[in-house]
Every structure is written in C-alpha cells, then in structure tokens.
Amino acid sequence: MTQFADSDEDLLTFEAGAAVRTANHAVERMRAHGAQGRGVSAGALDLLIRLNNSEHGISIGELARTAGVSSRNATGLVDTLEHNGLVRRVPDPTDRRSVLAEITPAGRAWMEAFRKPSQLAMRAMFHGFTPEELVVLRDLCLRLAANQHRLADHLRQIEQQP
C-alpha cells in the first residue's frame, strides 16, 4: 500500500480501507454461507430482509435502489424468490401499471427460521467485542457509508455537467 501513499496519514487511510474490505468480506462470507445453506443467494436474502420489514410490499425499482443493484438484477432476484414461494407480485394499489413484491407467509416463516442461526453467527463473528466497541464500530461504519454516499452524489453531479 505504500505505493499509493505519500505520507503516513495516507498509508493509515489505505490500511483502514483494506481492513474495512477484509471485515466486509468476512461478514458477507458468513452471511452468504448461511443463506446458501438454506437455498437463497446473499442478494436474494438482502431483498427478502427488506420485504420482511415491509407491510405492503415494495416496488422492484425501490428494492433495486435500496439494495444498490440494477432493476434487472432485482427483477431476477424477485423471480427466484417468487419461484421458491417466498415472495409474490401484487398490484400496486396506488398505480395500476405497477406491481409490488411482497413477502409470503412462507417467506416470513423462512425468515423466522433464519433468525436464530443468524444471531448465533453474528455473536460468533463479534466475539470478544464489548458493547461499547460495537457501538463505535457501528457508528464508524455508518460514517464511512455516509461519506461514500456524499462522494457518489458529488461525482454524479460532476458527470452530469456539460
């Protein structure tokens, strides 16, 4: 990483970025392992979690936006979840031309069965962390995500300029 850094401060930021990537990969590997062992990809699990938190369904476009994937990708994930009986498409009561993805009772049961193993896995992943450390880690990660969103918005604005 020293090839990218001009100073010790730069080196520290690159090392922090590498540590965040490593931690993210570890958490995602654990999450993917748990979901795939139950027949659902990590991407489909992400949508299922979002749908489980919604009482009235969510449009495919909104699922795509909040999950950070393309509409095409979200459509494919909903297709798979629908095929497995975990999600269904329902008419959007506010727009006749649109449909919403909605979790089914079988999807809610799947989520409930997934809850306890997820709790155990996360406890194991964060073993040895104090509650105070977990709060600091959570807050730092959220700050990092907020910075990334601001930077992405700024870059989009620059790209849209003539």
Side-chain angles (χ1 to χ4, degrees), residues 120-138:
L120 295 172
M122 286 300 107
R123 285 183 193 136
M125 287 290 293
F126 292 99
H127 175 75
F129 286 74
T130 66
E132 295 80 14
E133 288 171 327
L134 290 173
V135 167
V136 169
L137 179 61
R138 179 200 63 202

Side-chain angles (χ1 to χ4, degrees), residues 1-20:
M1 280 182 243
T2 56
Q3 63 187 340
F4 294 106
D6 290 334
S7 67
D8 287 344
E9 185 177 333
D10 284 347
L11 182 58
L12 191 55
T13 60
F14 280 105
E15 289 175 344
V20 167

Side-chain angles (χ1 to χ4, degrees), residues 6 16 26 29 34 45 53-54 59 63 70-71 80 88 97 103 107 136 156 162:
D6 290 334
R29 277 192 302 274
L45 173 61
N53 290 326
S54 172
S59 73
L63 282 171
S70 69
S71 291
T80 300
R88 66 178 159 239
R97 301 164 296 163
I103 193 167
V136 169
R156 269 193 296 280

Side-chain angles (χ1 to χ4, degrees), residues 39-155:
V40 173
S41 71
L45 173 61
D46 190 38
L47 295 192
L48 199 55
I49 289 168
R50 292 169 196 284
L51 291 168
N52 194 48
N53 290 326
S54 172
E55 292 182 29
H56 305 293
I58 304 172
S59 73
I60 303 292
E62 180 67 12
L63 282 171
R65 188 187 65 72
T66 59
V69 298
S70 69
S71 291
R72 178 181 237 184
N73 188 301
T75 298
L77 293 170
V78 169
D79 288 345
T80 300
L81 290 167
E82 187 174 36
H83 177 76
N84 292 335
L86 303 175
V87 167
R88 66 178 159 239
R89 286 179 168 86
V90 297
D92 184 339
T94 64
D95 183 353
R96 294 184 297 163
R97 301 164 296 163
S98 185
V99 296
L100 303 175
E102 177 180 85
I103 193 167
T104 63
R108 291 204 190 275
W110 190 98
M111 288 296 298
E112 184 57 30
F114 187 68
R115 192 170 63 85
K116 187 64 173 176
S118 295
Q119 289 171 347
L120 295 172
M122 286 300 107
R123 285 183 193 136
M125 287 290 293
F126 292 99
H127 175 75
F129 286 74
T130 66
E132 295 80 14
E133 288 171 327
L134 290 173
V135 167
V136 169
L137 179 61
R138 179 200 63 202
D139 292 349
L140 291 172
C141 289
L142 291 173
R143 281 175 49 196
L144 184 64
N147 285 348
Q148 185 277 327
H149 286 290
R150 275 193 300 278
L151 179 58
D153 287 344
H154 176 73
L155 292 174

